[in-house]
Amino acid sequence: MLAEEVVDTAQALLGHTLAGHQLEAQDWSLTPLARFSARRVAAIAQRLPDRPARTAIVRPGLSVQGGTDTLATAEHWSSL
């Protein structure tokens, strides 16, 4: 959920996410969260470069691994 919140979001806007508000309420810096989130989002984008497919998998809360497994299975069966 956090990865979806920060996809294509500038760090300055991170404070407008639920995670940002929760951290801000504790007087914690958003910088470590922004760095961590950027790395996680980049890793997800590298594993699943097709943006519409990535959105369809991540938005409902499915795992990236489960989504890529499902796509691979669908491609396998459609090629038979």
Side-chain angles (χ1 to χ4, degrees), residues 17-34:
T17 66
L18 174 61
H21 285 291
Q22 290 172 328
L23 288 174
E24 198 172 70
Q26 296 295 322
D27 291 325
W28 293 342
S29 171
L30 293 178
T31 302
L33 173 62

Side-chain angles (χ1 to χ4, degrees), residues 5 25 27 30-31 45 47-48 52 55 66 68-69 73 77:
E5 282 191 28
D27 291 325
L30 293 178
T31 302
R47 279 183 74 192
L48 194 58
T55 300
T68 54
D69 289 348
T73 301
W77 286 107

Side-chain angles (χ1 to χ4, degrees):
M1 182 175 172
L2 176 60
E4 182 193 348
E5 282 191 28
V6 298
V7 171
D8 296 331
T9 301
Q11 179 181 345
L13 298 178
L14 186 58
H16 296 291
T17 66
L18 174 61
H21 285 291
Q22 290 172 328
L23 288 174
E24 198 172 70
Q26 296 295 322
D27 291 325
W28 293 342
S29 171
L30 293 178
T31 302
L33 173 62
R35 283 194 306 258
F36 170 79
S37 299
R39 287 192 307 270
R40 288 288 294 147
V41 169
I44 290 169
Q46 187 175 18
R47 279 183 74 192
L48 194 58
D50 182 335
R51 185 184 195 102
R54 185 172 63 243
T55 300
I57 290 168
V58 175
R59 182 151 290 145
L62 301 175
S63 72
V64 174
Q65 184 61 53
T68 54
D69 289 348
T70 300
L71 290 173
T73 301
E75 287 176 15
H76 170 76
W77 286 107
S78 68
S79 68
L80 297 178

